[in-house]
Amino acid sequence: KGCTGPCNPLLDRRTHHTLRMVSRWRSKLGNEFPREEIEHLDSYHRRQLDKIRKLPENRRCADCGGHGTVWASVNLGVFLCMNCGARHRGLGTHITLPKGCTGTYLWGPDEIHQMMAMGNERAKQIYGADDHRPKEGASDVEWLTFLREKYELTKFAPRDGVRIPDQGIEGSIGSSKCDFAHTMTSTGTQEHSFFAEFGL
């Protein structure tokens, strides 16, 4: 539509640029980053996420053991199959923060940090539960009960296992204002340095 009053195209472009510069993107873990930086680093973040997801221990779903991990619980740091990803969506955000690993989802450096720091193998040492999975053909109600007992009540946690982290957003590794929020650059230099420590 044309301008209904005095119109300054240059001013409009400058305003649009300013709005993009100040636009913020909020991760599942509650940290905020400049949206322009997150969008700029999207392809790099996706490559790192895929490398983590394709590690042998992360190729099978952390909950049912099925192949194909296309979802993740960001605060729990586990990779999930499509079915279990849908089940996590029904658990409530006080327990789990599910997010797709494919498609158009943007991922923040704090979220990838969380997936690196945990992963399915370490989560198994913390939460256990492999021997308590619902049988094949179990209803969604049975699965949701199992998942609540596993992650919220930590009912299956090995007594001599890794220390159980606090639940929910406040207890996640990425819940504090991580250094990325202050050190991200348009070239991604800080992140490349960080990921290099993990051999990625």
Side-chain angles (χ1 to χ4, degrees), residues 139-164:
S139 67
D140 283 341
V141 172
E142 291 177 87
W143 272 104
L144 289 175
T145 298
F146 164 74
L147 294 175
R148 287 193 180 95
E149 290 178 341
K150 177 180 179 179
Y151 293 115
E152 184 177 26
L153 304 178
T154 61
K155 183 176 178 180
F156 314 116
R159 293 183 178 180
D160 57 347
V162 179
R163 183 182 67 83
I164 298 172

mmCIF file with all atom_site columns, all heavy atoms in Angstrom, residues 139-164:
data_model
loop_
_atom_site.group_PDB
_atom_site.id
_atom_site.type_symbol
_atom_site.label_atom_id
_atom_site.label_alt_id
_atom_site.label_comp_id
_atom_site.label_asym_id
_atom_site.label_entity_id
_atom_site.label_seq_id
_atom_site.pdbx_PDB_ins_code
_atom_site.Cartn_x
_atom_site.Cartn_y
_atom_site.Cartn_z
_atom_site.occupancy
_atom_site.B_iso_or_equiv
_atom_site.pdbx_formal_charge
_atom_site.auth_seq_id
_atom_site.auth_comp_id
_atom_site.auth_asym_id
_atom_site.auth_atom_id
_atom_site.pdbx_PDB_model_num
ATOM 1   N N   . SER A 1 139 ? -0.146 -47.802 25.727 1.00 0.00 ? 139 SER A N   1
ATOM 2   C CA  . SER A 1 139 ? -0.894 -46.584 25.414 1.00 0.00 ? 139 SER A CA  1
ATOM 3   C C   . SER A 1 139 ? -0.060 -45.337 25.719 1.00 0.00 ? 139 SER A C   1
ATOM 4   O O   . SER A 1 139 ? 0.938  -45.392 26.448 1.00 0.00 ? 139 SER A O   1
ATOM 5   C CB  . SER A 1 139 ? -2.184 -46.536 26.227 1.00 0.00 ? 139 SER A CB  1
ATOM 6   O OG  . SER A 1 139 ? -1.887 -46.379 27.610 1.00 0.00 ? 139 SER A OG  1
ATOM 7   N N   . ASP A 1 140 ? -0.503 -44.212 25.182 1.00 0.00 ? 140 ASP A N   1
ATOM 8   C CA  . ASP A 1 140 ? 0.182  -42.946 25.461 1.00 0.00 ? 140 ASP A CA  1
ATOM 9   C C   . ASP A 1 140 ? 0.104  -42.597 26.941 1.00 0.00 ? 140 ASP A C   1
ATOM 10  O O   . ASP A 1 140 ? 1.027  -41.983 27.497 1.00 0.00 ? 140 ASP A O   1
ATOM 11  C CB  . ASP A 1 140 ? -0.437 -41.816 24.631 1.00 0.00 ? 140 ASP A CB  1
ATOM 12  C CG  . ASP A 1 140 ? 0.022  -41.859 23.173 1.00 0.00 ? 140 ASP A CG  1
ATOM 13  O OD1 . ASP A 1 140 ? 1.055  -42.500 22.902 1.00 0.00 ? 140 ASP A OD1 1
ATOM 14  O OD2 . ASP A 1 140 ? -0.659 -41.254 22.326 1.00 0.00 ? 140 ASP A OD2 1
ATOM 15  N N   . VAL A 1 141 ? -0.980 -42.984 27.590 1.00 0.00 ? 141 VAL A N   1
ATOM 16  C CA  . VAL A 1 141 ? -1.128 -42.731 29.025 1.00 0.00 ? 141 VAL A CA  1
ATOM 17  C C   . VAL A 1 141 ? -0.025 -43.463 29.794 1.00 0.00 ? 141 VAL A C   1
ATOM 18  O O   . VAL A 1 141 ? 0.586  -42.899 30.717 1.00 0.00 ? 141 VAL A O   1
ATOM 19  C CB  . VAL A 1 141 ? -2.517 -43.169 29.524 1.00 0.00 ? 141 VAL A CB  1
ATOM 20  C CG1 . VAL A 1 141 ? -2.587 -43.084 31.055 1.00 0.00 ? 141 VAL A CG1 1
ATOM 21  C CG2 . VAL A 1 141 ? -3.599 -42.306 28.908 1.00 0.00 ? 141 VAL A CG2 1
ATOM 22  N N   . GLU A 1 142 ? 0.237  -44.715 29.418 1.00 0.00 ? 142 GLU A N   1
ATOM 23  C CA  . GLU A 1 142 ? 1.304  -45.479 30.069 1.00 0.00 ? 142 GLU A CA  1
ATOM 24  C C   . GLU A 1 142 ? 2.654  -44.836 29.830 1.00 0.00 ? 142 GLU A C   1
ATOM 25  O O   . GLU A 1 142 ? 3.491  -44.769 30.736 1.00 0.00 ? 142 GLU A O   1
ATOM 26  C CB  . GLU A 1 142 ? 1.303  -46.922 29.553 1.00 0.00 ? 142 GLU A CB  1
ATOM 27  C CG  . GLU A 1 142 ? 0.103  -47.748 29.976 1.00 0.00 ? 142 GLU A CG  1
ATOM 28  C CD  . GLU A 1 142 ? 0.129  -49.136 29.379 1.00 0.00 ? 142 GLU A CD  1
ATOM 29  O OE1 . GLU A 1 142 ? 0.744  -50.045 29.990 1.00 0.00 ? 142 GLU A OE1 1
ATOM 30  O OE2 . GLU A 1 142 ? -0.444 -49.321 28.289 1.00 0.00 ? 142 GLU A OE2 1
ATOM 31  N N   . TRP A 1 143 ? 2.870  -44.363 28.616 1.00 0.00 ? 143 TRP A N   1
ATOM 32  C CA  . TRP A 1 143 ? 4.142  -43.718 28.298 1.00 0.00 ? 143 TRP A CA  1
ATOM 33  C C   . TRP A 1 143 ? 4.323  -42.414 29.069 1.00 0.00 ? 143 TRP A C   1
ATOM 34  O O   . TRP A 1 143 ? 5.414  -42.136 29.577 1.00 0.00 ? 143 TRP A O   1
ATOM 35  C CB  . TRP A 1 143 ? 4.240  -43.463 26.790 1.00 0.00 ? 143 TRP A CB  1
ATOM 36  C CG  . TRP A 1 143 ? 4.825  -44.624 26.048 1.00 0.00 ? 143 TRP A CG  1
ATOM 37  C CD1 . TRP A 1 143 ? 4.171  -45.544 25.286 1.00 0.00 ? 143 TRP A CD1 1
ATOM 38  C CD2 . TRP A 1 143 ? 6.208  -44.998 26.018 1.00 0.00 ? 143 TRP A CD2 1
ATOM 39  N NE1 . TRP A 1 143 ? 5.044  -46.474 24.779 1.00 0.00 ? 143 TRP A NE1 1
ATOM 40  C CE2 . TRP A 1 143 ? 6.314  -46.159 25.213 1.00 0.00 ? 143 TRP A CE2 1
ATOM 41  C CE3 . TRP A 1 143 ? 7.364  -44.485 26.587 1.00 0.00 ? 143 TRP A CE3 1
ATOM 42  C CZ2 . TRP A 1 143 ? 7.525  -46.800 24.968 1.00 0.00 ? 143 TRP A CZ2 1
ATOM 43  C CZ3 . TRP A 1 143 ? 8.578  -45.114 26.351 1.00 0.00 ? 143 TRP A CZ3 1
ATOM 44  C CH2 . TRP A 1 143 ? 8.656  -46.258 25.548 1.00 0.00 ? 143 TRP A CH2 1
ATOM 45  N N   . LEU A 1 144 ? 3.287  -41.626 29.151 1.00 0.00 ? 144 LEU A N   1
ATOM 46  C CA  . LEU A 1 144 ? 3.387  -40.360 29.876 1.00 0.00 ? 144 LEU A CA  1
ATOM 47  C C   . LEU A 1 144 ? 3.655  -40.600 31.353 1.00 0.00 ? 144 LEU A C   1
ATOM 48  O O   . LEU A 1 144 ? 4.433  -39.871 31.987 1.00 0.00 ? 144 LEU A O   1
ATOM 49  C CB  . LEU A 1 144 ? 2.104  -39.547 29.695 1.00 0.00 ? 144 LEU A CB  1
ATOM 50  C CG  . LEU A 1 144 ? 1.887  -38.946 28.297 1.00 0.00 ? 144 LEU A CG  1
ATOM 51  C CD1 . LEU A 1 144 ? 0.534  -38.264 28.207 1.00 0.00 ? 144 LEU A CD1 1
ATOM 52  C CD2 . LEU A 1 144 ? 3.002  -37.960 27.948 1.00 0.00 ? 144 LEU A CD2 1
ATOM 53  N N   . THR A 1 145 ? 3.036  -41.625 31.907 1.00 0.00 ? 145 THR A N   1
ATOM 54  C CA  . THR A 1 145 ? 3.294  -41.978 33.311 1.00 0.00 ? 145 THR A CA  1
ATOM 55  C C   . THR A 1 145 ? 4.746  -42.378 33.488 1.00 0.00 ? 145 THR A C   1
ATOM 56  O O   . THR A 1 145 ? 5.421  -41.946 34.440 1.00 0.00 ? 145 THR A O   1
ATOM 57  C CB  . THR A 1 145 ? 2.374  -43.141 33.749 1.00 0.00 ? 145 THR A CB  1
ATOM 58  O OG1 . THR A 1 145 ? 1.009  -42.723 33.658 1.00 0.00 ? 145 THR A OG1 1
ATOM 59  C CG2 . THR A 1 145 ? 2.675  -43.552 35.185 1.00 0.00 ? 145 THR A CG2 1
ATOM 60  N N   . PHE A 1 146 ? 5.238  -43.194 32.575 1.00 0.00 ? 146 PHE A N   1
ATOM 61  C CA  . PHE A 1 146 ? 6.643  -43.637 32.613 1.00 0.00 ? 146 PHE A CA  1
ATOM 62  C C   . PHE A 1 146 ? 7.592  -42.446 32.537 1.00 0.00 ? 146 PHE A C   1
ATOM 63  O O   . PHE A 1 146 ? 8.563  -42.355 33.305 1.00 0.00 ? 146 PHE A O   1
ATOM 64  C CB  . PHE A 1 146 ? 6.900  -44.595 31.453 1.00 0.00 ? 146 PHE A CB  1
ATOM 65  C CG  . PHE A 1 146 ? 8.351  -44.834 31.151 1.00 0.00 ? 146 PHE A CG  1
ATOM 66  C CD1 . PHE A 1 146 ? 9.126  -45.623 31.982 1.00 0.00 ? 146 PHE A CD1 1
ATOM 67  C CD2 . PHE A 1 146 ? 8.941  -44.268 30.026 1.00 0.00 ? 146 PHE A CD2 1
ATOM 68  C CE1 . PHE A 1 146 ? 10.479 -45.847 31.702 1.00 0.00 ? 146 PHE A CE1 1
ATOM 69  C CE2 . PHE A 1 146 ? 10.276 -44.479 29.739 1.00 0.00 ? 146 PHE A CE2 1
ATOM 70  C CZ  . PHE A 1 146 ? 11.048 -45.265 30.579 1.00 0.00 ? 146 PHE A CZ  1
ATOM 71  N N   . LEU A 1 147 ? 7.325  -41.520 31.619 1.00 0.00 ? 147 LEU A N   1
ATOM 72  C CA  . LEU A 1 147 ? 8.215  -40.378 31.439 1.00 0.00 ? 147 LEU A CA  1
ATOM 73  C C   . LEU A 1 147 ? 8.204  -39.445 32.652 1.00 0.00 ? 147 LEU A C   1
ATOM 74  O O   . LEU A 1 147 ? 9.247  -38.898 33.028 1.00 0.00 ? 147 LEU A O   1
ATOM 75  C CB  . LEU A 1 147 ? 7.829  -39.611 30.171 1.00 0.00 ? 147 LEU A CB  1
ATOM 76  C CG  . LEU A 1 147 ? 8.045  -40.376 28.855 1.00 0.00 ? 147 LEU A CG  1
ATOM 77  C CD1 . LEU A 1 147 ? 7.506  -39.569 27.679 1.00 0.00 ? 147 LEU A CD1 1
ATOM 78  C CD2 . LEU A 1 147 ? 9.510  -40.712 28.652 1.00 0.00 ? 147 LEU A CD2 1
ATOM 79  N N   . ARG A 1 148 ? 7.057  -39.273 33.259 1.00 0.00 ? 148 ARG A N   1
ATOM 80  C CA  . ARG A 1 148 ? 6.998  -38.458 34.479 1.00 0.00 ? 148 ARG A CA  1
ATOM 81  C C   . ARG A 1 148 ? 7.789  -39.114 35.595 1.00 0.00 ? 148 ARG A C   1
ATOM 82  O O   . ARG A 1 148 ? 8.504  -38.450 36.350 1.00 0.00 ? 148 ARG A O   1
ATOM 83  C CB  . ARG A 1 148 ? 5.541  -38.248 34.908 1.00 0.00 ? 148 ARG A CB  1
ATOM 84  C CG  . ARG A 1 148 ? 4.767  -37.286 34.027 1.00 0.00 ? 148 ARG A CG  1
ATOM 85  C CD  . ARG A 1 148 ? 3.448  -36.875 34.650 1.00 0.00 ? 148 ARG A CD  1
ATOM 86  N NE  . ARG A 1 148 ? 2.712  -35.956 33.789 1.00 0.00 ? 148 ARG A NE  1
ATOM 87  C CZ  . ARG A 1 148 ? 1.782  -36.320 32.934 1.00 0.00 ? 148 ARG A CZ  1
ATOM 88  N NH1 . ARG A 1 148 ? 1.433  -37.608 32.840 1.00 0.00 ? 148 ARG A NH1 1
ATOM 89  N NH2 . ARG A 1 148 ? 1.176  -35.424 32.170 1.00 0.00 ? 148 ARG A NH2 1
ATOM 90  N N   . GLU A 1 149 ? 7.642  -40.426 35.732 1.00 0.00 ? 149 GLU A N   1
ATOM 91  C CA  . GLU A 1 149 ? 8.387  -41.147 36.769 1.00 0.00 ? 149 GLU A CA  1
ATOM 92  C C   . GLU A 1 149 ? 9.885  -41.087 36.498 1.00 0.00 ? 149 GLU A C   1
ATOM 93  O O   . GLU A 1 149 ? 10.695 -41.003 37.423 1.00 0.00 ? 149 GLU A O   1
ATOM 94  C CB  . GLU A 1 149 ? 7.910  -42.599 36.831 1.00 0.00 ? 149 GLU A CB  1
ATOM 95  C CG  . GLU A 1 149 ? 6.499  -42.756 37.380 1.00 0.00 ? 149 GLU A CG  1
ATOM 96  C CD  . GLU A 1 149 ? 6.037  -44.195 37.397 1.00 0.00 ? 149 GLU A CD  1
ATOM 97  O OE1 . GLU A 1 149 ? 6.627  -45.039 36.666 1.00 0.00 ? 149 GLU A OE1 1
ATOM 98  O OE2 . GLU A 1 149 ? 5.073  -44.503 38.123 1.00 0.00 ? 149 GLU A OE2 1
ATOM 99  N N   . LYS A 1 150 ? 10.252 -41.121 35.229 1.00 0.00 ? 150 LYS A N   1
ATOM 100 C CA  . LYS A 1 150 ? 11.668 -41.103 34.857 1.00 0.00 ? 150 LYS A CA  1
ATOM 101 C C   . LYS A 1 150 ? 12.311 -39.745 35.100 1.00 0.00 ? 150 LYS A C   1
ATOM 102 O O   . LYS A 1 150 ? 13.363 -39.662 35.759 1.00 0.00 ? 150 LYS A O   1
ATOM 103 C CB  . LYS A 1 150 ? 11.817 -41.497 33.385 1.00 0.00 ? 150 LYS A CB  1
ATOM 104 C CG  . LYS A 1 150 ? 13.258 -41.449 32.866 1.00 0.00 ? 150 LYS A CG  1
ATOM 105 C CD  . LYS A 1 150 ? 13.326 -41.854 31.398 1.00 0.00 ? 150 LYS A CD  1
ATOM 106 C CE  . LYS A 1 150 ? 14.759 -41.792 30.880 1.00 0.00 ? 150 LYS A CE  1
ATOM 107 N NZ  . LYS A 1 150 ? 14.845 -42.208 29.445 1.00 0.00 ? 150 LYS A NZ  1
ATOM 108 N N   . TYR A 1 151 ? 11.697 -38.687 34.584 1.00 0.00 ? 151 TYR A N   1
ATOM 109 C CA  . TYR A 1 151 ? 12.344 -37.378 34.606 1.00 0.00 ? 151 TYR A CA  1
ATOM 110 C C   . TYR A 1 151 ? 11.919 -36.475 35.765 1.00 0.00 ? 151 TYR A C   1
ATOM 111 O O   . TYR A 1 151 ? 12.744 -35.744 36.310 1.00 0.00 ? 151 TYR A O   1
ATOM 112 C CB  . TYR A 1 151 ? 12.081 -36.650 33.283 1.00 0.00 ? 151 TYR A CB  1
ATOM 113 C CG  . TYR A 1 151 ? 12.747 -37.301 32.099 1.00 0.00 ? 151 TYR A CG  1
ATOM 114 C CD1 . TYR A 1 151 ? 11.996 -37.867 31.073 1.00 0.00 ? 151 TYR A CD1 1
ATOM 115 C CD2 . TYR A 1 151 ? 14.135 -37.355 31.998 1.00 0.00 ? 151 TYR A CD2 1
ATOM 116 C CE1 . TYR A 1 151 ? 12.605 -38.471 29.968 1.00 0.00 ? 151 TYR A CE1 1
ATOM 117 C CE2 . TYR A 1 151 ? 14.757 -37.962 30.913 1.00 0.00 ? 151 TYR A CE2 1
ATOM 118 C CZ  . TYR A 1 151 ? 13.987 -38.513 29.898 1.00 0.00 ? 151 TYR A CZ  1
ATOM 119 O OH  . TYR A 1 151 ? 14.594 -39.111 28.823 1.00 0.00 ? 151 TYR A OH  1
ATOM 120 N N   . GLU A 1 152 ? 10.664 -36.514 36.135 1.00 0.00 ? 152 GLU A N   1
ATOM 121 C CA  . GLU A 1 152 ? 10.196 -35.628 37.198 1.00 0.00 ? 152 GLU A CA  1
ATOM 122 C C   . GLU A 1 152 ? 10.428 -36.239 38.578 1.00 0.00 ? 152 GLU A C   1
ATOM 123 O O   . GLU A 1 152 ? 10.933 -35.570 39.487 1.00 0.00 ? 152 GLU A O   1
ATOM 124 C CB  . GLU A 1 152 ? 8.710  -35.317 37.020 1.00 0.00 ? 152 GLU A CB  1
ATOM 125 C CG  . GLU A 1 152 ? 8.178  -34.309 38.044 1.00 0.00 ? 152 GLU A CG  1
ATOM 126 C CD  . GLU A 1 152 ? 6.722  -33.959 37.806 1.00 0.00 ? 152 GLU A CD  1
ATOM 127 O OE1 . GLU A 1 152 ? 5.986  -34.789 37.228 1.00 0.00 ? 152 GLU A OE1 1
ATOM 128 O OE2 . GLU A 1 152 ? 6.313  -32.855 38.209 1.00 0.00 ? 152 GLU A OE2 1
ATOM 129 N N   . LEU A 1 153 ? 10.098 -37.525 38.725 1.00 0.00 ? 153 LEU A N   1
ATOM 130 C CA  . LEU A 1 153 ? 10.239 -38.189 40.024 1.00 0.00 ? 153 LEU A CA  1
ATOM 131 C C   . LEU A 1 153 ? 11.565 -38.921 40.171 1.00 0.00 ? 153 LEU A C   1
ATOM 132 O O   . LEU A 1 153 ? 11.906 -39.346 41.281 1.00 0.00 ? 153 LEU A O   1
ATOM 133 C CB  . LEU A 1 153 ? 9.075  -39.185 40.219 1.00 0.00 ? 153 LEU A CB  1
ATOM 134 C CG  . LEU A 1 153 ? 7.670  -38.590 40.090 1.00 0.00 ? 153 LEU A CG  1
ATOM 135 C CD1 . LEU A 1 153 ? 6.612  -39.688 40.249 1.00 0.00 ? 153 LEU A CD1 1
ATOM 136 C CD2 . LEU A 1 153 ? 7.451  -37.485 41.115 1.00 0.00 ? 153 LEU A CD2 1
ATOM 137 N N   . THR A 1 154 ? 12.297 -39.054 39.048 1.00 0.00 ? 154 THR A N   1
ATOM 138 C CA  . THR A 1 154 ? 13.580 -39.789 39.022 1.00 0.00 ? 154 THR A CA  1
ATOM 139 C C   . THR A 1 154 ? 13.473 -41.133 39.752 1.00 0.00 ? 154 THR A C   1
ATOM 140 O O   . THR A 1 154 ? 14.358 -41.512 40.513 1.00 0.00 ? 154 THR A O   1
ATOM 141 C CB  . THR A 1 154 ? 14.717 -38.937 39.614 1.00 0.00 ? 154 THR A CB  1
ATOM 142 O OG1 . THR A 1 154 ? 14.420 -38.614 40.981 1.00 0.00 ? 154 THR A OG1 1
ATOM 143 C CG2 . THR A 1 154 ? 14.905 -37.650 38.822 1.00 0.00 ? 154 THR A CG2 1
ATOM 144 N N   . LYS A 1 155 ? 12.393 -41.827 39.474 1.00 0.00 ? 155 LYS A N   1
ATOM 145 C CA  . LYS A 1 155 ? 12.086 -43.084 40.154 1.00 0.00 ? 155 LYS A CA  1
ATOM 146 C C   . LYS A 1 155 ? 13.072 -44.197 39.806 1.00 0.00 ? 155 LYS A C   1
ATOM 147 O O   . LYS A 1 155 ? 13.307 -45.101 40.609 1.00 0.00 ? 155 LYS A O   1
ATOM 148 C CB  . LYS A 1 155 ? 10.665 -43.513 39.785 1.00 0.00 ? 155 LYS A CB  1
ATOM 149 C CG  . LYS A 1 155 ? 10.167 -44.774 40.458 1.00 0.00 ? 155 LYS A CG  1
ATOM 150 C CD  . LYS A 1 155 ? 8.723  -45.048 40.083 1.00 0.00 ? 155 LYS A CD  1
ATOM 151 C CE  . LYS A 1 155 ? 8.221  -46.341 40.721 1.00 0.00 ? 155 LYS A CE  1
ATOM 152 N NZ  . LYS A 1 155 ? 6.794  -46.597 40.352 1.00 0.00 ? 155 LYS A NZ  1
ATOM 153 N N   . PHE A 1 156 ? 13.656 -44.132 38.608 1.00 0.00 ? 156 PHE A N   1
ATOM 154 C CA  . PHE A 1 156 ? 14.514 -45.215 38.140 1.00 0.00 ? 156 PHE A CA  1
ATOM 155 C C   . PHE A 1 156 ? 15.998 -44.871 38.199 1.00 0.00 ? 156 PHE A C   1
ATOM 156 O O   . PHE A 1 156 ? 16.828 -45.618 37.697 1.00 0.00 ? 156 PHE A O   1
ATOM 157 C CB  . PHE A 1 156 ? 14.138 -45.583 36.704 1.00 0.00 ? 156 PHE A CB  1
ATOM 158 C CG  . PHE A 1 156 ? 12.656 -45.720 36.492 1.00 0.00 ? 156 PHE A CG  1
ATOM 159 C CD1 . PHE A 1 156 ? 11.980 -44.853 35.640 1.00 0.00 ? 156 PHE A CD1 1
ATOM 160 C CD2 . PHE A 1 156 ? 11.926 -46.696 37.148 1.00 0.00 ? 156 PHE A CD2 1
ATOM 161 C CE1 . PHE A 1 156 ? 10.608 -44.965 35.441 1.00 0.00 ? 156 PHE A CE1 1
ATOM 162 C CE2 . PHE A 1 156 ? 10.553 -46.823 36.962 1.00 0.00 ? 156 PHE A CE2 1
ATOM 163 C CZ  . PHE A 1 156 ? 9.903  -45.956 36.105 1.00 0.00 ? 156 PHE A CZ  1
ATOM 164 N N   . ALA A 1 157 ? 16.330 -43.745 38.796 1.00 0.00 ? 157 ALA A N   1
ATOM 165 C CA  . ALA A 1 157 ? 17.725 -43.302 38.834 1.00 0.00 ? 157 ALA A CA  1
ATOM 166 C C   . ALA A 1 157 ? 18.598 -44.291 39.610 1.00 0.00 ? 157 ALA A C   1
ATOM 167 O O   . ALA A 1 157 ? 18.248 -44.676 40.729 1.00 0.00 ? 157 ALA A O   1
ATOM 168 C CB  . ALA A 1 157 ? 17.815 -41.923 39.476 1.00 0.00 ? 157 ALA A CB  1
ATOM 169 N N   . PRO A 1 158 ? 19.725 -44.709 39.034 1.00 0.00 ? 158 PRO A N   1
ATOM 170 C CA  . PRO A 1 158 ? 20.641 -45.610 39.748 1.00 0.00 ? 158 PRO A CA  1
ATOM 171 C C   . PRO A 1 158 ? 21.158 -44.955 41.024 1.00 0.00 ? 158 PRO A C   1
ATOM 172 O O   . PRO A 1 158 ? 21.473 -43.764 41.033 1.00 0.00 ? 158 PRO A O   1
ATOM 173 C CB  . PRO A 1 158 ? 21.771 -45.828 38.739 1.00 0.00 ? 158 PRO A CB  1
ATOM 174 C CG  . PRO A 1 158 ? 21.188 -45.467 37.413 1.00 0.00 ? 158 PRO A CG  1
ATOM 175 C CD  . PRO A 1 158 ? 20.195 -44.378 37.686 1.00 0.00 ? 158 PRO A CD  1
ATOM 176 N N   . ARG A 1 159 ? 21.210 -45.711 42.072 1.00 0.00 ? 159 ARG A N   1
ATOM 177 C CA  . ARG A 1 159 ? 21.669 -45.151 43.352 1.00 0.00 ? 159 ARG A CA  1
ATOM 178 C C   . ARG A 1 159 ? 23.116 -44.700 43.282 1.00 0.00 ? 159 ARG A C   1
ATOM 179 O O   . ARG A 1 159 ? 23.516 -43.760 43.966 1.00 0.00 ? 159 ARG A O   1
ATOM 180 C CB  . ARG A 1 159 ? 21.492 -46.184 44.460 1.00 0.00 ? 159 ARG A CB  1
ATOM 181 C CG  . ARG A 1 159 ? 20.030 -46.498 44.772 1.00 0.00 ? 159 ARG A CG  1
ATOM 182 C CD  . ARG A 1 159 ? 19.925 -47.464 45.924 1.00 0.00 ? 159 ARG A CD  1
ATOM 183 N NE  . ARG A 1 159 ? 18.519 -47.747 46.259 1.00 0.00 ? 159 ARG A NE  1
ATOM 184 C CZ  . ARG A 1 159 ? 18.138 -48.565 47.242 1.00 0.00 ? 159 ARG A CZ  1
ATOM 185 N NH1 . ARG A 1 159 ? 19.059 -49.180 47.989 1.00 0.00 ? 159 ARG A NH1 1
ATOM 186 N NH2 . ARG A 1 159 ? 16.857 -48.771 47.475 1.00 0.00 ? 159 ARG A NH2 1
ATOM 187 N N   . ASP A 1 160 ? 23.912 -45.394 42.475 1.00 0.00 ? 160 ASP A N   1
ATOM 188 C CA  . ASP A 1 160 ? 25.332 -45.039 42.369 1.00 0.00 ? 160 ASP A CA  1
ATOM 189 C C   . ASP A 1 160 ? 25.620 -44.305 41.064 1.00 0.00 ? 160 ASP A C   1
ATOM 190 O O   . ASP A 1 160 ? 26.757 -44.244 40.612 1.00 0.00 ? 160 ASP A O   1
ATOM 191 C CB  . ASP A 1 160 ? 26.209 -46.297 42.451 1.00 0.00 ? 160 ASP A CB  1
ATOM 192 C CG  . ASP A 1 160 ? 25.840 -47.311 41.367 1.00 0.00 ? 160 ASP A CG  1
ATOM 193 O OD1 . ASP A 1 160 ? 24.767 -47.151 40.736 1.00 0.00 ? 160 ASP A OD1 1
ATOM 194 O OD2 . ASP A 1 160 ? 26.625 -48.256 41.156 1.00 0.00 ? 160 ASP A OD2 1
ATOM 195 N N   . GLY A 1 161 ? 24.568 -43.757 40.456 1.00 0.00 ? 161 GLY A N   1
ATOM 196 C CA  . GLY A 1 161 ? 24.731 -43.074 39.177 1.00 0.00 ? 161 GLY A CA  1
ATOM 197 C C   . GLY A 1 161 ? 25.232 -41.653 39.325 1.00 0.00 ? 161 GLY A C   1
ATOM 198 O O   . GLY A 1 161 ? 25.595 -41.193 40.415 1.00 0.00 ? 161 GLY A O   1
ATOM 199 N N   . VAL A 1 162 ? 25.257 -40.940 38.210 1.00 0.00 ? 162 VAL A N   1
ATOM 200 C CA  . VAL A 1 162 ? 25.674 -39.544 38.183 1.00 0.00 ? 162 VAL A CA  1
ATOM 201 C C   . VAL A 1 162 ? 24.656 -38.709 38.938 1.00 0.00 ? 162 VAL A C   1
ATOM 202 O O   . VAL A 1 162 ? 23.475 -39.021 38.980 1.00 0.00 ? 162 VAL A O   1
ATOM 203 C CB  . VAL A 1 162 ? 25.792 -39.053 36.717 1.00 0.00 ? 162 VAL A CB  1
ATOM 204 C CG1 . VAL A 1 162 ? 26.207 -37.588 36.668 1.00 0.00 ? 162 VAL A CG1 1
ATOM 205 C CG2 . VAL A 1 162 ? 26.775 -39.924 35.957 1.00 0.00 ? 162 VAL A CG2 1
ATOM 206 N N   . ARG A 1 163 ? 25.114 -37.638 39.566 1.00 0.00 ? 163 ARG A N   1
ATOM 207 C CA  . ARG A 1 163 ? 24.212 -36.768 40.320 1.00 0.00 ? 163 ARG A CA  1
ATOM 208 C C   . ARG A 1 163 ? 23.085 -36.257 39.432 1.00 0.00 ? 163 ARG A C   1
ATOM 209 O O   . ARG A 1 163 ? 23.287 -35.848 38.294 1.00 0.00 ? 163 ARG A O   1
ATOM 210 C CB  . ARG A 1 163 ? 24.989 -35.566 40.874 1.00 0.00 ? 163 ARG A CB  1
ATOM 211 C CG  . ARG A 1 163 ? 24.126 -34.644 41.751 1.00 0.00 ? 163 ARG A CG  1
ATOM 212 C CD  . ARG A 1 163 ? 24.943 -33.458 42.217 1.00 0.00 ? 163 ARG A CD  1
ATOM 213 N NE  . ARG A 1 163 ? 25.302 -32.593 41.118 1.00 0.00 ? 163 ARG A NE  1
ATOM 214 C CZ  . ARG A 1 163 ? 24.496 -31.650 40.620 1.00 0.00 ? 163 ARG A CZ  1
ATOM 215 N NH1 . ARG A 1 163 ? 23.289 -31.485 41.111 1.00 0.00 ? 163 ARG A NH1 1
ATOM 216 N NH2 . ARG A 1 163 ? 24.897 -30.885 39.617 1.00 0.00 ? 163 ARG A NH2 1
ATOM 217 N N   . ILE A 1 164 ? 21.878 -36.299 39.966 1.00 0.00 ? 164 ILE A N   1
ATOM 218 C CA  . ILE A 1 164 ? 20.707 -35.850 39.224 1.00 0.00 ? 164 ILE A CA  1
ATOM 219 C C   . ILE A 1 164 ? 20.635 -34.330 39.264 1.00 0.00 ? 164 ILE A C   1
ATOM 220 O O   . ILE A 1 164 ? 20.604 -33.734 40.336 1.00 0.00 ? 164 ILE A O   1
ATOM 221 C CB  . ILE A 1 164 ? 19.413 -36.438 39.826 1.00 0.00 ? 164 ILE A CB  1
ATOM 222 C CG1 . ILE A 1 164 ? 19.460 -37.964 39.726 1.00 0.00 ? 164 ILE A CG1 1
ATOM 223 C CG2 . ILE A 1 164 ? 18.186 -35.885 39.129 1.00 0.00 ? 164 ILE A CG2 1
ATOM 224 C CD1 . ILE A 1 164 ? 18.330 -38.650 40.455 1.00 0.00 ? 164 ILE A CD1 1
#
